Amino acid sequence: MAFNLLAIEINEHISSYLPTDRDVCNFRLTCKTTNAAVSSHRCGVWRALFARRYDMLPGKTGLELKMLYQIRARFLYKLPPIFHMGQESKEIRCMEHLRNLVVESYADKSIGCKAREPSKNIRELRRFMLRTNFLDKILSRFYDGPNINPLLHTLQLVFTHWHLDHLLRNPTYGFSHSQHVVYAHPTNSPMFLDRDRFRVNIDFFLHTANFFKYHMTSEDEQTLYPLMRQLEYDQKPRAWEGPIKQPRGVPLVKKLGSHWKGSYAYLDPEDMPHIREMPYTGHCLFTDNIDFQDGFQTLNLDFSHSASTAPWPRAFDSHLDALPSNPLCRTLHSLSKHKKRRFQDTNRIHHPLIDTTLDTSLETPPSSPGYIVHQTLTMPHRILPTSAEDMPPTPTSPPPVLTPKKGVNYLQFAGSGNDTERFQCSGIVHPLPPQHGIPGWQRVTIMKFFDPISSSSAGGMGGSTTPLTSDDGFELDDDVNINNGCWAYEGVVLPGGMIMLGRWWSPVDDMEERHCMGPFVFWNVDGEEGQ
């Protein structure tokens, strides 16, 4: 045959033009020479196929890429599962590969730089979402909450930008339940599941995403849907545009984008007691107040030196508790060290030439408050030390207190925007540990103010007050007076830094009642020059 006369390299080059995996396999069966080309020890054909479909993984051999390519083809393309609660073995293994695609997106790109081309991993993730029910079933079986694999909800939350895309036309399930959750008292519906904010309440933020999904994609609702249709592509919620996983030795704290759009919602004060006292039945809906007449709210963030070095007012922190805690700083410091600690994932398909271990940057630390290994799932577990060198040191004294350092443990910013009228704000963002194997989470707190804030002299006693107007910029003194024109925001920035979700409230409202509050969403709309 003609292929027998060609060199192996030429046959490898020919196979790179074949459109499908089946064509490559058929080409391999043509003759001994084509079989040698496709099955060579260099695996050049499979490396080319991997590079054509996924973001390239630096440091992997051709054989490793071949095995990984074939495993992904099995679980993501040939036999994708039907997702229910993420408990079946096929669902678990498939979600692990989806998580790897998220973490390994833009793996061949530099940290801190916007990629010129979209991630191939994100393209494959979107194709997977379109041909499976992964996004269709968001919160549809939430009454079985304790039995749902938390990784399922975590991945669905990471894919919030697709929930908010009205072109995908995914149905919205459980909106009435989401409405109850986002307006519930913070004590009953916290954003974090522990005092030091190690564990994000994934379900609360997924309910928040589901709440806004209903308003942005429901044509019958006619609240935010017309506004979403009018937006250009680069003004809509988008996927992340750079690496999520940061290499060791690189500080976890990073700046957010400059330009954001968003919206918020609230209920009439007389409805708040009713929605909290009424047991959830799935049939009762309340009328949300959403300002859609003046378009989406805008938010511009400033991380310049003057904004980041301004004092953080004690009055702001008394309401927001914005700075990271000492235990959180210690944990994040350990995550940024060069020394690796390994976890074993028993759900991976093991192969001696494939690294199947996860380090601590991909899992919530076992020392975190409330860390639980679900026995119903085969979740990662800690490998016991095998030598004296691997044994953790015996604590002889209390751990050192790490005072949060600006620029190291957190960043401060100033901001401004339009919400029916001009406003200003000041805020803090700091990193969070990985959640269910996905890194890149951040907590954001913002104090937004319309009316001038009175800034008193040092000590706040007996001095004259000077109103802080827009002409004064953002040079806040350490003592300011909170008034009715101030609004507190707290939430999380999803991995990739493109979407933030959370809760707003009035800091002068009665904390026990907290009737003046509701959910919010912002998404980054920086252009090519914005990164």
Side-chain angles (χ1 to χ4, degrees):
M1 301 182 74
F3 293 112
N4 292 333
L5 305 178
L6 300 178
I8 290 181
E9 291 78 9
I10 297 178
N11 282 321
E12 285 185 353
H13 185 68
I14 292 174
S15 64
S16 66
Y17 286 94
L18 300 177
T20 66
D21 297 349
R22 183 177 296 275
D23 293 331
V24 174
C25 294
N26 292 335
F27 180 74
R28 180 179 66 85
L29 299 175
T30 302
C31 62
K32 292 182 178 180
T33 304
T34 57
N35 178 67
V38 175
S39 305
S40 68
H41 69 280
R42 296 187 304 109
C43 298
V45 173
W46 297 102
R47 177 183 288 273
L49 290 174
F50 189 95
R52 187 166 64 186
R53 179 169 290 180
Y54 305 110
D55 294 334
M56 182 56 68
L57 298 175
K60 295 290 186 181
T61 66
L63 183 57
E64 289 175 314
L65 295 177
K66 171 187 175 181
M67 295 296 298
L68 185 56
Y69 183 90
Q70 293 178 347
I71 291 171
R72 288 180 178 177
R74 175 185 175 186
F75 286 101
L76 301 181
Y77 297 93
K78 293 182 180 179
L79 300 171
I82 298 176
F83 290 92
H84 296 288
M85 292 183 291
Q87 293 282 27
E88 297 183 1
S89 59
K90 287 183 61 176
E91 294 178 85
I92 294 173
R93 294 190 177 186
C94 184
M95 289 189 298
E96 288 174 350
H97 288 291
L98 295 178
R99 177 178 60 188
N100 291 340
L101 287 179
V102 171
V103 177
E104 295 168 0
S105 58
Y106 298 105
D108 54 344
K109 301 297 187 297
S110 300
I111 295 293
C113 298
K114 180 179 177 180
R116 295 183 178 180
E117 297 181 358
S119 167
K120 297 176 184 176
N121 283 15
I122 297 178
R123 179 193 63 192
E124 294 303 315
L125 285 169
R126 189 176 189 275
R127 290 178 178 176
F128 182 85
M129 302 305 147
L130 290 175
R131 67 174 181 268
T132 64
N133 70 329
F134 193 86
L135 295 183
D136 293 347
K137 297 298 181 180
I138 173 176
L139 295 175
S140 63
R141 296 176 61 90
F142 195 80
Y143 51 85
D144 292 324
N147 298 321
I148 292 181
N149 188 337
L151 180 57
L152 175 62
H153 280 175
T154 304
L155 287 170
Q156 288 177 332
L157 180 59
V158 171
F159 301 148
T160 294
H161 56 281
W162 286 321
H163 300 326
L164 305 182
D165 188 350
H166 67 279
L167 297 177
L168 295 182
R169 298 188 180 278
N170 290 323
T172 303
Y173 294 98
F175 171 72
S176 58
H177 193 181
S178 297
Q179 194 179 45
H180 275 72
V181 171
V182 299
Y183 291 123
H185 193 278
T187 303
N188 301 323
S189 186
M191 285 182 277
F192 296 90
L193 300 178
D194 59 283
R195 181 183 61 185
D196 293 312
R197 304 184 182 93
F198 282 92
R199 301 171 60 216
V200 174
N201 188 350
I202 299 295
D203 291 339
F204 168 80
F205 290 103
L206 190 57
H207 274 296
T208 304
N210 196 53
F211 175 90
F212 283 106
K213 173 189 175 182
Y214 176 77
H215 284 285
M216 292 182 179
T217 63
S218 176
E219 188 172 0
D220 296 334
E221 186 65 15
Q222 287 295 308
T223 49
L224 298 177
Y225 177 81
L227 295 179
M228 289 297 294
R229 290 194 59 184
Q230 296 172 8
L231 293 178
E232 299 293 335
Y233 171 77
D234 60 351
Q235 299 294 300
K236 294 181 179 180
R238 308 192 303 273
W240 54 98
E241 299 177 342
I244 287 180
K245 182 182 178 182
Q246 293 186 249
R248 295 190 176 268
V250 176
L252 296 177
V253 61
K254 54 184 178 181
K255 298 179 181 179
L256 302 178
S258 300
H259 308 292
W260 300 74
K261 286 184 181 294
S263 183
Y264 62 91
Y266 63 95
L267 288 182
D268 292 331
E270 59 269 18
D271 287 337
M272 289 295 281
H274 297 299
I275 195 173
R276 292 175 177 177
E277 295 171 0
M278 182 180 300
Y280 168 67
T281 61
H283 302 291
C284 185
L285 294 177
F286 293 80
T287 302
D288 299 299
N289 292 291
I290 299 180
D291 182 20
F292 55 88
Q293 301 297 333
D294 298 316
F296 286 112
Q297 180 180 176
T298 62
L299 175 64
N300 302 314
L301 303 184
D302 177 16
F303 285 87
S304 64
H305 178 75
S306 59
S308 60
T309 56
W312 179 245
R314 287 194 296 266
F316 286 4
D317 205 59
S318 65
H319 293 279
L320 295 171
D321 191 18
L323 301 182
S325 64
N326 177 33
L328 182 59
C329 290
R330 289 202 307 267
T331 300
L332 294 175
H333 177 69
S334 67
L335 290 178
S336 63
K337 288 183 178 180
H338 290 279
K339 184 178 179 179
K340 293 185 179 180
R341 298 177 182 177
R342 301 237 176 218
F343 284 78
Q344 183 181 18
D345 188 348
T346 58
N347 287 320
R348 299 280 186 91
I349 291 183
H350 294 273
H351 189 276
L353 296 178
I354 297 181
D355 181 11
T356 58
T357 57
L358 295 175
D359 54 47
T360 52
S361 66
L362 296 182
E363 189 61 39
T364 305
S367 59
S368 303
Y371 179 87
I372 299 175
V373 177
H374 297 274
Q375 297 301 325
T376 56
L377 303 177
T378 313
M379 300 299 288
H381 63 273
R382 189 74 176 270
I383 297 179
L384 296 178
T386 57
S387 66
E389 295 180 356
D390 295 329
M391 292 293 293
T394 302
T396 57
S397 60
V401 176
L402 296 180
T403 303
K405 295 182 180 180
K406 188 181 296 185
V408 177
N409 302 110
Y410 69 93
L411 294 176
Q412 184 176 336
F413 58 86
S416 62
N418 283 299
D419 174 17
T420 67
E421 58 180 303
R422 190 73 174 171
F423 68 84
Q424 298 177 355
C425 66
S426 185
I428 281 179
V429 60
H430 68 77
L432 296 169
Q435 306 293 317
H436 302 289
I438 301 179
W441 304 78
Q442 298 183 87
R443 174 177 176 248
V444 62
T445 50
I446 301 173
M447 186 62 76
K448 168 182 169 183
F449 42 90
F450 291 89
D451 299 335
I453 296 181
S454 296
S455 176
S456 62
S457 59
M461 296 293 292
S464 61
T465 60
T466 304
L468 178 69
T469 63
S470 59
D471 294 333
D472 295 322
F474 298 96
E475 297 180 0
L476 296 173
D477 288 340
D478 195 45
D479 298 286
V480 297
N481 298 324
I482 300 294
N483 59 27
N484 290 325
C486 297
W487 304 95
Y489 283 63
E490 180 185 8
V492 297
V493 184
L494 302 185
M498 297 296 289
I499 294 179
M500 62 175 79
L501 299 162
R503 174 189 290 130
W504 66 268
W505 70 92
S506 170
V508 299
D509 191 18
D510 189 327
M511 292 191 63
E512 294 185 0
E513 297 183 355
R514 194 63 69 84
H515 286 167
C516 190
M517 52 151 281
F520 74 85
V521 60
F522 282 103
W523 59 91
N524 183 247
V525 293
D526 285 348
E528 292 294 332
E529 73 284 353
Q531 298 290 333

